[in-house]
Amino acid sequence: MRHEVLAAESLGPGEVRCVSVDGVRIAVARGRDGRVHALRDACAHQGASLGRGQVEALVEGTAVGQYRLVEGKEILRCPWHGYEYDLDTGRSLFDPEHTRVRVYEAFEEEGKIIVER
Ligand code: FES
């Protein structure tokens, strides 16, 4: 079911907001590339609101001089202890198979951000 959750202009690149859809808290984020994402607004660790987290670029590497930005990939960082979630999949970076949050389809249409749930 489709839900209009925000005016598109109210969410700038790199911003995240908390919304409620049928009593379920959802974090709606806009990547720096302009795409919108929707994730369950409860961190898999201790339940912090991911809607109070930060959108950040994904960096990969294991040693000085080898860290690189991953083009087209951003994460949502939990505000409490820093778990990082892939904005597209909701999977954590450190344990993607077991530690993740649900994602919902999200897109813009006629000046509104729509979340399907
Ligand atoms: S509650 Fe999110 S990392 Fe701890």
Side-chain angles (χ1 to χ4, degrees):
M1 185 174 239
R2 297 161 48 103
H3 300 271
E4 293 182 6
V5 295
L6 291 168
E9 74 221 17
S10 70
L11 190 68
E15 293 183 340
V16 58
R17 300 260 192 285
C18 311
V19 301
S20 178
V21 173
D22 293 335
V24 175
R25 290 177 11 227
I26 295 176
V28 180
R30 186 187 295 281
R32 286 173 177 78
D33 62 2
R35 292 188 300 135
V36 291
H37 306 266
L39 301 87
R40 183 86 159 87
D41 186 24
C43 180
H45 182 216
Q46 292 182 355
S49 170
L50 295 176
R52 299 184 187 285
Q54 295 220 320
V55 175
E56 299 177 15
L58 176 58
V59 177
E60 286 185 340
T62 56
V64 172
Q66 296 181 356
Y67 294 100
R68 300 282 183 269
L69 287 176
V70 179
E71 284 295 322
K73 277 291 187 188
E74 292 180 290
I75 56 102
L76 181 55
R77 183 180 301 280
C78 178
W80 284 5
H81 313 103
Y83 280 24
E84 302 102 342
Y85 295 96
D86 183 309
L87 275 179
D88 289 315
T89 67
R91 294 175 183 268
S92 68
L93 297 187
F94 80 98
D95 184 12
E97 291 305 316
H98 301 102
T99 304
R100 56 190 179 191
V101 294
R102 183 170 176 183
V103 293
Y104 304 91
E105 186 175 350
F107 54 93
E108 283 184 59
E109 189 176 272
E110 298 178 357
K112 304 282 187 196
I113 295 176
I114 310 293
V115 171
E116 295 215 6
R117 177 177 179 276

